[in-house]
């Protein structure tokens, strides 16, 4: 009997039929050591299966556990997907020829992550030993990922999406990560496959459900792979070839780079460890996804053995199931635990969220469950109707239940034959004493169920409570800040040291009597993921942690059987997952009356809010802090008027995030209130900054999608103790204030830029007195940018303001001009000067004096909403651009032209014919015509072209510019052609992306502030190249303010993200594109500020720092800077080349075609050639 059962076990793989399952029972007390159900072999099945329910009293060893035997042998296929053995060659879709060797594969498991620091320096010989350890660790990690994917029996299986991500993506993603990070860190200049490296960098974040749209990527969908198996096989071959090349690249770098000790976070070696540990994370997350694949397309892999111990049985009422050890609570005394570690002196690799200021926390006593919750214990919750009782679930959890309609944990299977569990590649009779693998929602609901059942306060542990348990065991793969390494005696089912599945909950004990402190399965917690004080992102992976910070992600603790390396196997690892997300995770519960505290403040990403936070709380892009100066001016005014600041009540209308309110509170006012029309404006300040341990986190937008994460604590702001006297309110209409709720203030201010004019400014001004006590101070700030009905006798905005206030207010103190700059990007800001005036409330109203005449036509013009190119034909914009080109403050267009002429002369460029594209009203073209024989200028706007022609024909242009919109003041300006010394120039309407064929033979082509306003900037660059004479000069200036209203994101030259990587900056992307087109450097780039005034009073403007870049000669020395450029043949040969294995086209990296050294983004033509580059090449990240 025993021999037959074991033979059946060794030759079977349970597939779709749960009844045909193997079961085993670990001995507990006097119970049998092992029990197998051995099903019969169905006739004609062609597959060996187990016989039904036969009791075996002897234990079954690990080698006797079921191993998969392919249903049919693969002919001529690969025996492994391990690229360490060389290039893998697929013979067709069939992968059943892949067979691992258990004794060889065992060497891949249980590896210790290399030590990166130590107490003493290393000798040269010891450094080479460290290098050898890292090489070995890299190759075994790389192979381990490939071994996991040997579980699939055919190539189309790699394209099935079992949960968002197909296997071919996961296989390529980890390899692409190495290339992307090494390229981003400038450790390599050449790419292997830019298309794969970019497309396989995205779609990993579990927060997005639709990251991977099969219509948008180069690999086939699951359905397409089934329909075209050859295509599926060819693309899988491409991915395997890619992995082989990445392996060789990284291996070569590790072998040749100088070894460092200790390894610091800015080191090449840290980046290598980042790639290795990233692969180990995805080994585990991929296995969770692959665990959902249909059993008909998977096969067992010896590298990932199934645990052979447990109480396996289909029937939960069987003696086997009932013998599962019951759980109980173990008292844990109060004590101290450590959280966090420092970058400096760290022994092992870690992710950014592990580092910060080390803290020690006092943890009150609690009681913890002796075991993780087993499948048998969780069954009680299922049978009690736990999935249908709303009271057990959080609101978020119940929404998940309502949407997904679960009735049991995901990997449970229930049929007429009983209960079964899906493991990685098998379905087995339910192991009742293995931990239940559930999501956070299920774990939390169970705790509520158990609380109701027992009358105790049962919940999930918080992070520091879990760490109190972990402190009881040696917990690291290396000696660390926590203590000694665990050595060869791994104290848990972790790091693949034992199995690739859970094991019985009573197998790994600890000195405090709690089992599975680490390993077996991850343990859900009640703590939201947050970063530590002193946290800083790693510059090459700034999106590892920050997207998960906040209320949507909870910590998981302790690691699982498949957590390897630093991925959960070290004490200080800190991972957070969405609460609906499945990992190899279960839970233990604790009893404690301690309230759960979560104060994680997320990194805000809403663009409007982030710009407001940047304006209020960050260092200004230029000048001083507007809000600090405003608060100081208000406090000074109160003092001058004899108001006791310590007793003063203040209110700010239109407060936004409330920096001025906080600053006044810091200056000692008794009550500081802020009001805004939407709570969104201030709720982050109220809920995050003023909370205990308050902090604000947001995102600064730098260029396109490139951002910088910012964090500021209440302590750093100096507002940590102000919550008692600061309060914010939503007030939808400042002209209709609830005087029963608000009033009797000593100071009311409305001076935030744009606040007064946002809605009904005159209504606000006429009703502001209702908020103030007699003698109270009203402070108003404005640029006079808002339109108002005409007030008789008011010729300026100041007079309109005075007329609106005179009934209830009298002016006091001297007005102040306070400058501000609201950054939009790293290069652009909305700037202005607020005219701040001070008004004292009268005790009684004076006689009304204002006489109002409506002017709806001006208000209508203000409300116009032009977008895209149509913006440039709008009347207000036209007058602003005429000011920009020909007004009294105009400098930028003429300066761009001057620099073109200077560089052209320095490079010996013939000053024959020039072409300016996107020239607007034409000032730069006029200036160029003084030096060049002839200038053609064109713009897409017919209005701008007509203005240029009128200047030439009539000899003069005149226009009206708004000086003050509040009073309707304008000024007439003009320019005479005779004052400009105009040479030969012509103006025509041009589409920069499709220039007329007759426009050719130019020595200079230039485009100022153009490329980021085109739908396809590369089309213009191709056109420019075709129009240039050999040796001609191309000059581009741009602030790189990409907007999808103008340019689809796919056409941005830079400033985009792909996955968790920043693409090139726009400068670098433009440079790489043009270098590939045969352009070289002429002169270093220059930053050139320009200002567009929106009002003639100088109070409102856009100020922008454009980058002016120049091309240079390639056939001779250009300004003393010689660079070589790739030949036409080299370009054409390297752009597209066939993959030798698949025949598919492989795209060569731009960097491979680029000369070394710092190239600029524009250049002179080498020769009259035209060789189109694909979008993916032009978008390669910087070297």
């Amino acid at each position: 009997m025993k021999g037959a059962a074991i033979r059946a076990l060794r030759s079977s793989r349970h597939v779709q039929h749960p009844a045909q399952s193997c079961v085993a029972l670990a001995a507990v007390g006097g119970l049998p050591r092992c029990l197998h159900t051995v099903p019969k072999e169905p006739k004609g099945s062609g597959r060996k299966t187990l016989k039904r329910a036969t009791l075996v009293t002897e234990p079954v060893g690990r080698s006797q556990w079921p191993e998969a035997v392919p249903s049919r042998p693969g002919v001529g296929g690969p025996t492994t997907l391990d690229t360490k053995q060389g290039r893998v060659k697929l013979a067709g879709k069939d992968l059943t020829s892949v067979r691992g060797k258990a004794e060889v594969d065992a060497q891949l498991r249980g590896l210790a992550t290399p030590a990166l620091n130590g107490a003493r320096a290393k000798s040269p010989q010891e450094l080479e030993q460290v290098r050898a350890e890292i090489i070995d660790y890299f190759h075994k990690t790389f192979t381990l990922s490939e071994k996991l994917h040997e579980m699939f029996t055919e190539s189309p299986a790699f394209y099935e999406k079992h949960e968002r991500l197909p296997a071919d993506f996961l296989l390529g993603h980890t390899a692409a990560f190495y290339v992307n990070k090494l390229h981003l860190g400038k450790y390599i200049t050449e790419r292997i496959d830019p298309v794969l490296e970019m497309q396989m960098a995205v779609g990993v974040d579990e927060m997005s459900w639709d990251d991977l749209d099969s219509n948008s990527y180069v690999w086939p969908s699951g359905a397409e792979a089934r329909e075209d198996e050859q295509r599926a096989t060819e693309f899988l071959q491409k991915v395997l070839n890619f992995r082989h090349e990445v392996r060789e690249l990284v291996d070569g770098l590790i072998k040749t780079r100088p070894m460092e000790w200790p390894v610091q976070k800015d080191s090449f070696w840290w980046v290598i460890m980042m790639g290795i540990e990233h692969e180990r994370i995805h080994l585990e997350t991929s296995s969770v996804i692959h665990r959902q694949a249909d059993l008909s397309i998977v096969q067992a892999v010896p590298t990932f053995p199934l645990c052979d111990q447990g109480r396996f049985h289909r029937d939960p009422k069987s003696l086997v199931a009932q013998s599962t050890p019951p759980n109980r609570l173990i008292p844990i005394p109060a004590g101290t635990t450590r959280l966090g570690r420092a970058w400096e002196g760290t022994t092992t690799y870690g992710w950014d969220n592990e580092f910060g200021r080390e803290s020690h926390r006092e943890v009150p006593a609690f009681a913890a469950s002796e075991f993780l919750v087993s499948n048998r214990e969780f069954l009680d919750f299922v049978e009690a109707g736990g999935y249908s009782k709303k009271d057990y679930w959080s609101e978020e959890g119940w929404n998940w239940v309502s949407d997904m309609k679960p009735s049991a944990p995901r990997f449970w299977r229930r049929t007429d034959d009983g209960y079964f569990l899906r493991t990685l590649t098998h379905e087995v009779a339910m192991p009742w004493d293995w931990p239940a693998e559930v999501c956070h929602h299920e774990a939390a609901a169970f705790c509520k169920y158990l609380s109701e059942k027992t009358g105790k306060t049962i919940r999930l542990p918080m992070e520091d409570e879990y760490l109190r348990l972990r402190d009881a065991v040696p917990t690291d793969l290396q000696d660390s800040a926590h203590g000694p390494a665990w050595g060869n005696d791994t104290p848990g089912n972790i790091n693949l040291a034992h199995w690739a599945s859970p094991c019985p909950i009573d197998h790994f004990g600890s000195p405090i009597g709690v089992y599975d402190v680490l390993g077996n399965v991850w343990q859900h917690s009640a703590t939201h993921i947050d970063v530590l004080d002193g946290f800083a992102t790693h510059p090459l992976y700034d999106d590892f942690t920050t997207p998960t910070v906040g209320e949507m992600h909870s910590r998981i603790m302790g690691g699982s059987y498949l957590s390897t390396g630093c991925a959960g196997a070290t004490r200080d690892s800190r991972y957070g997952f969405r609460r609906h997300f499945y990992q190899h995770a279960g839970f233990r519960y604790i009893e404690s009356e301690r309230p759960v505290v979560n104060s994680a403040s997320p990194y805000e990403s809403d663009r409007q809010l982030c710009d407001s936070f940047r304006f209020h709380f960050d260092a200004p892009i230029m000048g001083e802090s507007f809000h600090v100066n405003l608060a100081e001016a208000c406090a000074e005014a109160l003092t001058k008027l004899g108001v006791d600041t310590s007793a003063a009540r203040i209110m700010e209308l239109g407060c936004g995030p409330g920096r001025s309110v906080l600053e006044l509170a810091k200056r000692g006012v008794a009550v500081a209130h802020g009001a805004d029309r939407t709570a969104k404006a201030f709720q982050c300040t109220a809920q995050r900054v003023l909370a205990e341990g308050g902090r604000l986190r947001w995102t600064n937008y730098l260029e396109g999608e490139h951002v910088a994460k910012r964090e500021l604590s209440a302590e750093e702001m100096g507002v940590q103790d102000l919550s008692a006297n600061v309060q914010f309110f939503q007030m939808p209409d400042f002209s209709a204030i609830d005087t029963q709720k608000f009033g009797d203030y000593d100071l009311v201010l409305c001076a935030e830029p744009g606040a007064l004019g946002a809605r009904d400014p005159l209504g606000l001004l006429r009703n502001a007195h209702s908020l103030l006590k007699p003698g109270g101070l009203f402070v108003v700030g404005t640029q006079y940018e808002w339109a108002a009905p005409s007030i008789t006798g008011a010729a300026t905005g100041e007079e309109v303001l005075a007329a609106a206030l005179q009934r209830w207010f009298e002016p006091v103190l001297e007005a102040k001009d306070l400058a501000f700059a609201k950054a939009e990007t790293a290069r652009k800001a909305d700037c202005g000067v607020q005219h701040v005036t001070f008004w004292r409330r009268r005790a009684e109203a004076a006689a009304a004096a204002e006489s109002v005449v409506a002017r709806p036509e001006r208000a209508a013009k203000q409300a116009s909403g032009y977008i895209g190119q149509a913006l440039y034909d709008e009347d207000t914009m036209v007058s602003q651009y005429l000011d920009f080109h020909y007004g009294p403050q105009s400098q930028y267009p003429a300066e761009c032209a001057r620099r073109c002429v200077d560089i052209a002369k320095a490079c010996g460029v013939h000053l024959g014919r020039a072409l300016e594209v996107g020239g607007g009203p034409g000032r730069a073209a006029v200036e160029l015509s003084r030096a060049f024989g002839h200038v053609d200028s064109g713009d897409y706007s017919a209005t701008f072209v007509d203005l240029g022609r009128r200047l030439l024909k009539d000899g003069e242009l005149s226009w009206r510019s708004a000086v003050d919109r509040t009073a309707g003041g304008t000024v007439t300006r003009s320019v005479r052609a005779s004052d400009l010394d105009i040479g030969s120039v012509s103006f025509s309407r041009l589409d920069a992306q499709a220039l007329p064929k007759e426009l050719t033979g130019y020595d200079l082509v230039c485009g100022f502030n153009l490329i980021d306003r085109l739908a396809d900037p590369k089309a213009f660059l191709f056109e420019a190249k075709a129009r240039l004479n050999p040796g001609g000069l191309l000059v581009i200036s741009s602030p790189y303010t990409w907007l999808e209203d103008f340019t689809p994101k796919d056409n941005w030259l830079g400033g985009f993200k792909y996955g968790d990587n920043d693409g090139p900056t726009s400068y670098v992307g433009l440079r790489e594109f043009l270098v590939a087109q045969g352009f070289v450097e002429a002169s270093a780039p220059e930053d050139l500020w320009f200002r567009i005034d929106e009002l003639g009073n100088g109070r409102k403007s856009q100020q922008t720092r454009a980058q002016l870049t120049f091309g240079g000669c390639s056939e001779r020395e250009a300004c003393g800077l010689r660079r070589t450029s790739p030949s036409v043949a080299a370009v054409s040969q390297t752009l597209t080349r066939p993959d030798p294995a698949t025949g598919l086209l492989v795209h060569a990296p731009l960097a491979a075609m680029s000369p070394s050294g710092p190239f600029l983004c524009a250049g002179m033509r080498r020769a009259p050639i035209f060789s189109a580059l694909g979008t993916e090449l032009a978008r390669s990240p910087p070297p």
Side-chain angles (χ1 to χ4, degrees):
M1 180 91 57
K2 169 184 171 184
I6 290 178
R7 283 194 299 275
L9 281 169
R10 297 186 68 181
S11 63
S12 75
R13 174 172 64 91
H14 184 69
V15 287
Q16 303 259 22
H17 310 289
Q20 300 170 353
S21 174
C22 50
V23 293
L25 174 65
V28 175
L31 293 174
R33 176 69 175 169
C34 189
L35 178 72
H36 297 284
T37 57
V38 188
K40 298 190 249 186
E41 296 179 21
K43 293 182 180 180
S45 67
R47 185 188 302 275
K48 294 184 178 180
T49 54
L50 299 178
K51 297 180 180 178
R52 289 189 180 273
T54 302
L55 180 66
V56 182
T57 57
E58 294 84 17
V60 175
R62 185 180 307 160
S63 64
Q64 297 167 328
W65 195 242
E67 299 174 1
V69 174
S71 57
R72 57 190 183 282
V75 179
T79 59
T80 182
L81 300 186
D82 180 9
T83 58
K84 183 69 163 61
Q85 308 305 317
R87 285 188 181 271
V88 176
K89 296 183 179 179
L90 304 180
K93 74 165 188 174
D94 194 349
L95 298 174
T96 55
S97 56
V98 172
R99 299 168 183 270
K101 297 181 179 180
E103 64 277 10
V104 175
D105 291 356
Q107 300 174 14
L108 303 175
R109 304 196 303 269
L111 298 179
T113 184
L116 305 179
N117 201 348
R120 62 177 183 83
K122 295 278 190 183
S123 68
Q125 293 79 10
E126 290 172 321
L127 285 176
E128 289 309 306
Q129 184 178 351
V130 174
R131 185 195 303 274
E133 291 175 3
I134 293 176
I135 291 176
D136 182 66
Y137 191 55
F138 161 70
H139 281 295
K140 287 180 176 176
T141 300
F142 213 76
T143 294
L144 201 56
S145 283
E146 293 163 347
K147 287 287 184 181
L148 175 67
H149 290 83
E150 291 182 355
M151 66 181 283
F152 293 109
T153 61
E154 57 184 12
S155 58
F158 280 78
Y159 305 91
E160 300 289 348
K161 285 174 61 172
H162 312 297
E163 186 179 338
R164 299 184 313 108
L165 303 170
D168 73 302
F169 170 88
L170 295 165
L171 190 61
H173 170 73
T174 52
F177 185 92
Y178 287 98
V179 181
N180 287 328
K181 297 309 178 187
L182 289 167
H183 198 266
L184 192 61
K186 296 181 170 51
Y187 297 108
I188 60 174
T189 59
E190 296 188 8
R191 288 184 167 276
I192 293 172
D193 189 321
V195 178
L196 288 184
E197 288 151 15
M198 290 189 181
Q199 296 208 347
M200 289 189 164
V202 301
V204 181
D205 184 6
E206 77 282 1
M207 293 186 296
S208 300
W209 294 105
D210 297 314
D211 284 332
L212 289 181
D213 178 354
S214 60
N215 295 323
S216 302
Y217 292 89
V218 293
W219 53 84
S221 66
E224 291 168 341
R226 293 289 174 195
E227 292 174 3
D228 189 345
E229 294 176 345
Q230 180 177 351
R231 180 187 172 198
T233 303
E234 287 176 348
F235 193 86
L236 178 58
Q237 180 71 70
K238 181 182 180 70
V239 173
L240 291 169
N241 290 348
F242 175 65
R243 284 191 64 88
H244 176 73
E245 292 181 45
V246 172
R247 187 193 284 263
E248 289 189 331
L249 168 69
V250 177
D251 176 80
L253 289 171
I254 295 175
K255 288 177 178 176
T256 56
R257 294 280 300 196
M259 193 64 225
E260 301 171 22
W261 187 267
V263 174
Q264 306 290 347
K265 70 171 182 177
D266 57 354
S267 162
F268 160 82
W269 297 97
W270 193 272
V271 179
I272 292 297
M273 291 301 301
M274 180 186 291
I276 297 172
E277 296 298 343
H278 171 263
E279 183 132 34
R280 287 185 172 269
I281 288 176
H282 281 284
L283 174 74
E284 183 172 3
T285 56
S286 298
S287 70
V288 179
I289 295 172
H290 298 348
R291 188 175 174 182
Q292 300 172 63
D294 194 280
L295 283 168
S296 64
I297 59 173
V298 300
Q299 57 193 354
V301 181
T303 317
F304 301 93
L306 190 64
C307 177
D308 57 2
Q309 302 176 28
R311 294 165 172 82
F312 294 78
H313 206 284
R314 295 168 296 168
D315 185 358
K317 294 182 173 56
S318 65
L319 290 177
V320 173
Q322 296 299 322
S323 69
T324 299
N327 223 336
R328 60 180 182 138
L329 290 165
I330 305 297
I332 305 298
T336 303
T337 192
R338 175 183 61 80
L339 189 62
R341 55 173 170 157
W343 286 106
E344 297 75 20
T346 184
T347 306
T348 57
Y349 178 84
W351 298 101
D352 55 11
N353 60 23
E354 302 173 25
F355 298 98
R357 287 190 286 276
E358 181 179 311
S359 64
H360 293 81
R361 298 186 181 180
E362 295 294 328
V363 182
F366 61 96
S369 62
E370 181 179 16
F371 304 114
L372 298 175
V373 173
S374 67
N375 286 318
R376 180 63 192 83
E377 187 175 8
F378 197 83
L379 179 67
D380 293 341
F381 170 76
V382 175
E383 293 183 335
Y387 284 92
S388 61
K389 294 185 178 180
K390 185 177 180 179
D391 290 346
Y392 294 155
W393 301 82
S394 65
E395 180 180 358
E396 179 189 342
W398 187 247
N399 288 338
W400 174 77
V401 171
S402 301
D403 290 342
M404 304 302 293
K405 297 180 171 47
S407 59
R410 175 173 296 182
F411 297 113
W412 285 21
R413 303 286 185 267
R414 187 178 184 182
T415 71
D416 292 341
D417 291 323
Y419 283 91
F420 301 86
L421 182 72
R422 169 63 191 268
T423 64
L424 183 61
T425 57
H426 294 78
E427 230 172 53
V428 298
M430 182 64 73
W432 295 106
D433 60 346
W434 285 13
E437 294 172 272
V438 297
C439 73
H440 183 282
H441 293 315
E442 293 166 303
F446 178 92
C447 290
K448 286 191 177 181
Y449 151 78
L450 194 59
S451 293
E452 179 183 273
K453 179 179 177 180
T454 63
K456 298 178 180 180
T457 304
I458 302 296
R459 62 169 171 81
L460 296 173
M462 289 188 282
E463 180 175 24
D464 55 4
E465 291 163 337
Y466 167 78
L467 289 175
R468 284 283 295 135
L469 304 180
R470 185 118 187 207
D471 288 343
V473 295
T475 59
D476 280 354
L477 295 163
Q478 300 283 1
D479 291 345
S480 72
H482 179 63
W486 62 48
N488 294 323
D489 187 18
T490 306
N493 184 18
I494 197 166
N495 202 36
L496 281 175
H498 300 283
W499 302 286
S501 73
C503 70
I505 56 173
D506 57 352
H507 193 95
F508 291 99
S510 73
I512 57 175
V514 174
Y515 285 74
D516 288 325
V517 169
L518 73 161
N520 215 356
V521 291
W522 287 96
Q523 300 174 40
H524 291 295
S525 82
T527 298
H528 298 162
I529 185 68
D530 197 2
V531 296
L532 308 173
D533 289 341
F535 164 80
T537 62
H538 192 282
L540 297 187
Y541 202 174
D542 60 1
D543 280 350
F544 179 81
T545 297
T546 53
T548 69
V549 174
E551 299 177 352
M552 301 303 294
H553 295 72
S554 292
R555 287 276 285 110
I556 56 173
M557 314 289 189
S560 79
Y561 52 89
L562 251 169
S563 299
T564 63
C566 292
T570 57
R571 179 195 184 276
D572 293 309
S573 64
R574 304 181 75 239
Y575 295 95
F577 282 90
R578 288 288 290 269
R579 287 180 281 277
H580 65 266
F581 199 68
Y582 266 81
Q583 192 64 4
H584 300 306
F587 66 105
R588 75 172 68 250
Y589 50 81
I590 70 166
E591 179 187 9
S592 175
E593 297 296 331
R594 181 188 180 196
V596 173
V597 176
N598 276 307
S599 58
S601 176
Y603 284 86
E604 186 60 60
S605 58
D606 179 275
R607 181 64 184 266
Q608 184 178 5
L609 279 180
C610 288
D611 286 349
S612 293
F613 295 158
R614 187 178 191 175
F615 179 42
H616 278 245
F617 299 111
D618 215 340
I621 192 171
M622 61 181 79
E624 299 176 340
S625 169
F626 169 80
H627 299 93
V628 171
N629 289 343
L630 177 60
E632 189 61 40
C634 291
E636 182 181 305
L638 288 175
T639 300
K640 287 182 178 179
L641 295 176
V643 178
D644 180 3
T645 305
S646 64
R649 290 166 44 84
I650 71 99
M651 163 67 84
E652 181 180 14
L653 302 177
C655 65
R659 177 67 181 275
S660 299
V661 176
L662 298 177
E663 289 296 327
L664 282 165
K666 284 169 61 177
R667 285 157 176 77
V669 301
V671 174
H673 288 170
D676 206 282
R677 292 180 176 86
T678 65
K680 178 182 177 181
F682 56 72
Q683 65 183 0
C684 289
T685 305
Q687 297 173 3
R688 300 173 189 172
V689 176
L690 296 178
E692 182 179 353
R695 66 188 64 246
L696 186 65
R697 294 172 177 146
W698 74 93
T699 305
N700 282 350
Y701 289 81
L702 306 179
E703 177 187 306
E705 294 180 310
H706 290 185
V707 301
K709 300 295 184 180
R710 295 287 290 118
E711 175 178 332
L712 200 60
S713 69
E715 186 175 0
E716 290 171 308
M717 298 183 212
V719 300
Q720 66 271 30
D721 300 318
L722 299 182
S723 58
N725 64 339
V726 174
Q727 198 169 359
F728 294 95
F729 303 93
Q730 184 176 359
M731 196 180 290
D733 189 350
F734 296 151
S735 64
I737 297 168
D738 183 356
T739 56
Q740 297 297 313
K741 185 175 181 180
F742 302 105
D744 202 36
Y745 290 103
D746 297 282
L747 168 71
V748 172
L749 69 150
C750 183
E752 176 80 2
L756 178 59
R759 183 197 297 177
D760 192 6
L762 290 183
L764 186 159
L765 295 171
R766 290 169 184 148
N767 289 280
H769 68 279
S770 62
L771 287 170
L772 284 157
K773 62 178 62 172
L777 182 64
F778 184 37
V779 180
V780 185
T782 180
Q783 301 153 266
Y784 305 108
E785 79 286 6
W786 43 277
S790 175
I791 296 179
T792 302
T796 68
E798 295 178 50
E799 292 173 355
V800 172
L801 187 67
L805 291 174
Q806 63 84 29
R807 187 162 185 252
W808 281 101
F809 293 95
E810 59 181 352
V812 292
L813 307 177
E814 184 179 352
K816 289 180 175 289
D817 280 339
L818 297 183
F820 69 87
K822 298 175 68 172
E824 291 185 18
T825 70
R827 291 181 169 272
K828 183 180 180 182
D830 281 334
C831 300
V833 178
Q834 288 286 88
H835 189 231
V836 179
T837 53
F838 303 87
W839 305 82
R840 182 160 49 197
R841 185 192 187 278
R842 304 177 193 273
E844 298 291 339
E850 61 178 280
S851 176
V852 178
V853 179
R855 287 197 294 216
E857 72 282 355
R858 186 162 67 253
K861 287 184 179 180
Q862 281 292 104
S864 62
Y866 294 90
I867 61 172
Q869 293 294 340
L871 184 70
Y872 297 103
D873 291 314
E874 193 265 331
D875 289 348
T876 301
M877 184 66 71
V878 169
S879 65
Q880 289 174 8
Y881 267 74
L882 283 169
D883 276 347
F884 179 50
H885 280 246
Y886 299 108
Q889 305 299 322
S890 175
Q891 294 181 338
Y892 176 77
E895 183 63 17
C896 287
R898 185 184 67 81
R899 293 302 298 140
C900 286
V901 173
D902 289 348
I903 297 300
K905 289 179 177 179
C907 294
V909 174
H910 176 58
L911 302 182
R913 301 178 68 234
L915 172 65
E916 184 194 13
V917 183
R923 178 61 182 274
V926 166
E927 297 296 323
L928 287 170
S929 73
R930 297 179 182 182
F932 280 81
H934 177 75
V935 178
D936 287 315
S937 178
D939 198 278
Y940 192 78
S941 166
T943 301
F944 284 163
V945 171
D946 182 60
L947 290 169
R949 289 172 174 172
R950 282 167 49 196
L951 178 61
L952 297 182
K953 179 181 177 182
D954 301 339
E956 185 177 11
L957 283 177
S958 62
W959 66 96
R960 296 179 66 84
S961 293
V963 174
D964 171 343
R965 290 201 185 101
T966 302
T970 62
V971 62
T972 299
R973 290 180 173 146
S974 64
V975 61
R976 294 177 180 175
S978 58
D979 295 331
L980 297 174
D981 190 21
I982 302 175
S984 176
V985 61
S986 65
F987 296 95
S988 59
R989 190 168 187 267
L990 297 178
D991 181 350
Q993 299 153 124
L995 296 175
K997 293 181 179 179
E998 61 269 19
L999 294 183
T1000 187
Y1002 293 100
D1003 301 295
L1004 167 70
V1005 175
C1006 54
F1008 306 129
N1009 296 2
L1010 173 67
I1011 59 170
D1012 55 358
R1013 291 299 178 264
L1014 296 176
D1016 188 355
K1018 289 187 288 295
F1020 162 66
L1021 297 174
F1022 282 133
E1023 291 284 342
K1025 174 182 172 183
R1027 268 62 184 172
L1028 275 171
N1029 292 325
L1033 181 68
L1034 174 64
V1035 180
I1036 302 292
S1037 76
S1038 178
Y1040 311 126
T1041 51
W1042 301 103
L1043 295 172
E1044 289 191 90
D1045 285 343
F1046 295 96
T1047 314
K1049 194 176 296 182
D1050 286 346
N1051 291 344
W1052 294 2
L1053 295 177
F1056 54 85
K1057 290 184 74 71
Y1058 57 104
D1060 49 37
N1061 303 284
D1062 283 348
T1065 64
S1066 300
Y1067 163 71
V1068 172
L1070 181 58
R1071 179 196 69 187
E1072 290 189 340
F1073 183 86
L1074 290 173
V1075 165
Q1077 295 302 303
F1079 289 95
V1080 292
E1081 177 179 37
S1083 181
E1086 302 173 10
D1087 279 342
L1088 199 58
W1089 280 93
F1090 66 87
R1091 169 175 174 156
I1092 298 178
D1093 280 304
E1094 297 181 34
L1095 291 176
N1097 60 12
R1099 292 190 177 278
K1100 184 172 178 58
S1101 65
Q1102 294 177 18
Q1103 297 190 33
T1104 307
R1105 180 168 51 94
Q1107 187 176 59
L1108 192 63
T1109 54
F1110 312 92
C1113 302
S1114 62
E1115 306 301 334
R1116 58 185 181 276
E1117 296 294 322
C1119 307
L1121 299 175
R1122 173 67 174 168
R1123 295 290 187 270
T1124 59
S1125 183
S1127 68
V1128 180
V1131 171
S1132 61
Q1133 289 172 5
T1134 56
L1135 287 180
T1136 55
R1137 55 184 173 84
D1139 184 298
T1142 68
L1144 299 174
L1145 291 182
V1146 177
H1147 295 275
L1150 275 181
M1153 299 178 285
S1154 303
S1156 59
F1159 279 82
L1160 301 193
C1161 68
M1164 298 190 76
R1165 287 197 55 194
R1166 307 178 34 90
I1169 63 170
F1170 191 87
S1171 179
L1173 286 175
T1175 299
E1176 64 274 15
L1177 295 180
R1179 288 183 54 174
S1180 294

